[in-house]
Amino acid sequence: MSISTLRRSARETVSGLPPGFWWLWLSTLVNRTGAFVLTFLSLYLTLELGHSAWFAGLVVALHGLGGVAGSPLGGVLTDRWGRRPTMVTMHLAGAACAAALAFVTSAWGIAAVVLLMGVAMQAVRPPINATIADMVPAHDVRRAYALNYWALNLGFAIASIGGGAAAFLGYRTLFVVDAVATVLCAVIVFLRLPETRPERPAPTEGKPAAEEKVSTLTVLRDAPFRTLVLLNLLVCLVFTAPWIGLPLTMADQGLSASSYGVVIAVNGIVIVGFQLLVNKLTDKRSPVLLLALSSLLFALGTGATALAGSSVAFAATVVVWTVGEMIHVPTNAAATARLAPEHARGRYQGVMGMSWAVAGFVAPILAGAIVGGPGPDVLWAATAAIGVLAAAGYATRLRKALAEDEDVVTAPVPVPGPVPSPAPAPVVVKGENAEDAEDAEDSPLNA
């Protein structure tokens, strides 16, 4: 592949997206470039404050537990308050927590701050994902999610390198820098990002507006979306397991902690270097095919860890499941946006984000228990089996839902008032959400 071909491919990957998306992209990059707390929290707790490794692990798990509550909270606020107010509020809350960690030293105080930080950090994701779905044309949504995910990992890579180089300044200084970067992110959103929440449809004949009919329980009653969430939870368990099981497995084989550092760095390097290329190769592909393929790559990569015996071999397994990660994350986010009604995008993204948070809390506990009990080989065999199960689930349980979602039917939307609209907007009626069509006159567009 020539340089000119690569340049043309890169231009096609980043072209055609609205300016608002790029301000959101920049805010993600700035936020993640200063994300030092989670990266260095365990070292701060053990080396700086003298807490045990057990306590450090508990605090990190509390961050994940906070995310379990934060994700649906962020989804509800996204649909009620709006995208921009929710993002600004939660960014500022996260900044306050990061700054507090620079001064709070008691064990219970640190645990409480980290729990609240988990709520704030996870609550900001539903409005981000909903905003992308709002402002980007449907055929470019997956590409937009991939670009935003690339910014997230690029910022994280910069933070890891910069934080390591700046560690001599002290952990508290890094936490303050994290807070400043998060405030800057909130300022970018407040000043440059437009509000994209759809207008609330007016009540008709005594019926309440469509938003009032949607709750988290309503979202969970959406059978195709519920299946998507459960399958994503399986994939997330597989994806999270290596972050705990891999260093333990490598240590069991006599490899050093520095070897693990090099191996796991492959994850970020591959994403930063090849996310745009992977997105180009998978663009316009069937979402069911991509979700099933990514699940199989997770299964293959984690399962092969049991056979690895050197740093090079372990790094190769990381490459395999990292490619699965690059395919899965934007495809799953786009599938969520497409199954969600326009007025409930926040709640749908919030419930989906909850599956990531649950996995982030449960998987480390399970992985540690399995490695410490039956052994690493059992862990990797289990992740391989779960990955294959998820792939089968995508292929058999969601093929119809996502396939019918691609075939849209358009119909005019009547405009309230005596003056008809000269250019009626289309409403999208999806195969699995046909019940929404019955209330088309009272509901906003389905995406």
Side-chain angles (χ1 to χ4, degrees):
M1 184 177 291
S2 65
I3 298 298
S4 61
T5 301
L6 289 175
R7 288 177 178 173
R8 184 171 62 253
S9 176
R11 283 196 301 269
E12 292 174 353
T13 300
V14 301
S15 64
L17 297 174
F21 168 79
W22 292 110
W23 285 113
L24 183 63
W25 184 92
L26 178 62
S27 71
T28 298
L29 180 63
V30 170
N31 189 23
R32 295 299 295 183
T33 299
F36 297 118
V37 170
L38 285 182
T39 306
F40 297 96
L41 182 59
S42 60
L43 295 177
Y44 170 67
L45 292 173
T46 54
L47 300 181
E48 182 83 4
L49 300 183
H51 292 293
S52 66
W54 176 87
F55 178 76
L58 174 64
V59 170
V60 173
L62 286 176
H63 185 276
L65 184 61
V68 175
S71 190
L73 172 64
V76 171
L77 295 180
T78 296
D79 290 335
R80 289 186 178 178
W81 285 4
R83 281 60 162 147
R84 190 173 67 165
T86 303
M87 276 188 268
V88 171
T89 300
M90 293 305 167
H91 279 314
L92 293 178
C97 291
L101 283 176
F103 304 99
V104 176
T105 56
S106 70
W108 286 107
I110 291 173
V113 170
V114 171
L115 178 66
L116 293 175
M117 177 176 277
V119 174
M121 290 183 65
Q122 192 66 32
V124 82
R125 295 189 179 187
I128 290 175
N129 287 339
T131 299
I132 293 174
D134 291 338
M135 67 172 48
V136 175
H139 60 276
D140 284 329
V141 165
R142 200 188 72 83
R143 176 163 65 98
Y145 283 127
L147 287 169
N148 198 65
Y149 189 66
W150 181 61
L152 188 151
N153 282 278
L154 178 60
F156 181 77
I158 296 172
S160 298
I161 297 172
F168 67 91
L169 297 174
Y171 295 107
R172 289 182 173 88
T173 301
L174 294 181
F175 296 162
V176 172
V177 173
D178 190 328
V180 172
T182 307
V183 169
L184 179 58
C185 173
V187 170
I188 293 173
V189 172
F190 181 76
L191 294 179
R192 306 302 304 179
L193 194 67
E195 175 57 56
T196 62
R197 186 181 67 157
E199 292 293 331
R200 174 177 299 188
T204 303
E205 296 180 358
K207 296 180 180 179
E211 290 105 317
E212 304 302 325
K213 298 179 182 179
V214 179
S215 65
T216 300
L217 290 178
T218 306
V219 174
L220 292 175
R221 292 191 188 104
D222 184 336
F225 179 69
R226 185 173 64 244
T227 301
L228 184 69
V229 171
L230 292 176
L231 292 174
N232 184 69
L233 175 60
L234 294 180
V235 172
C236 291
L237 291 173
V238 177
F239 168 67
T240 307
W243 299 93
I244 302 299
L246 183 58
L248 298 177
T249 300
M250 293 179 66
D252 188 59
Q253 298 198 16
L255 297 173
S256 65
S258 61
S259 297
Y260 167 72
V262 173
V263 167
I264 202 61
V266 171
N267 174 259
I269 293 171
V270 171
I271 292 176
V272 172
F274 298 100
Q275 177 71 69
L276 299 184
L277 177 60
V278 169
N279 185 62
K280 179 64 177 178
L281 295 175
T282 57
D283 194 26
K284 312 303 181 185
R285 305 291 183 183
S286 163
V288 171
L289 172 64
L290 294 178
L291 291 170
L293 174 62
S294 63
S295 300
L296 291 176
L297 289 172
F298 275 119
L300 177 62
T302 58
T305 306
L307 306 176
S310 66
S311 295
V312 174
F314 282 115
T317 66
V318 172
V319 170
V320 174
W321 59 256
T322 297
V323 175
E325 176 188 355
M326 290 190 288
I327 296 173
H328 179 85
V329 172
T331 305
N332 182 72
T336 300
R338 292 168 62 183
L339 288 177
E342 186 180 67
H343 61 277
R345 280 174 175 158
R347 288 174 173 87
Y348 272 67
Q349 293 288 354
V351 172
M352 179 57 70
M354 190 166 58
S355 67
W356 288 91
V358 169
F361 178 70
V362 172
I365 298 174
L366 292 179
I370 293 174
V371 171
D377 289 351
V378 175
L379 172 66
W380 305 123
T383 58
I386 294 172
V388 171
L389 177 64
Y394 284 122
T396 60
R397 304 295 297 175
L398 286 176
R399 179 180 297 276
K400 180 181 178 182
L402 294 181
E404 287 188 359
D405 186 63
E406 295 174 357
D407 300 326
V408 299
V409 180
T410 60
V413 174
V415 178
V419 180
S421 170
V427 64
V428 180
V429 179
K430 293 178 288 191
E432 288 300 315
N433 292 320
E435 65 272 17
D436 292 338
E438 297 176 4
D439 297 325
E441 293 184 355
D442 300 317
S443 301
L445 303 184
N446 287 334

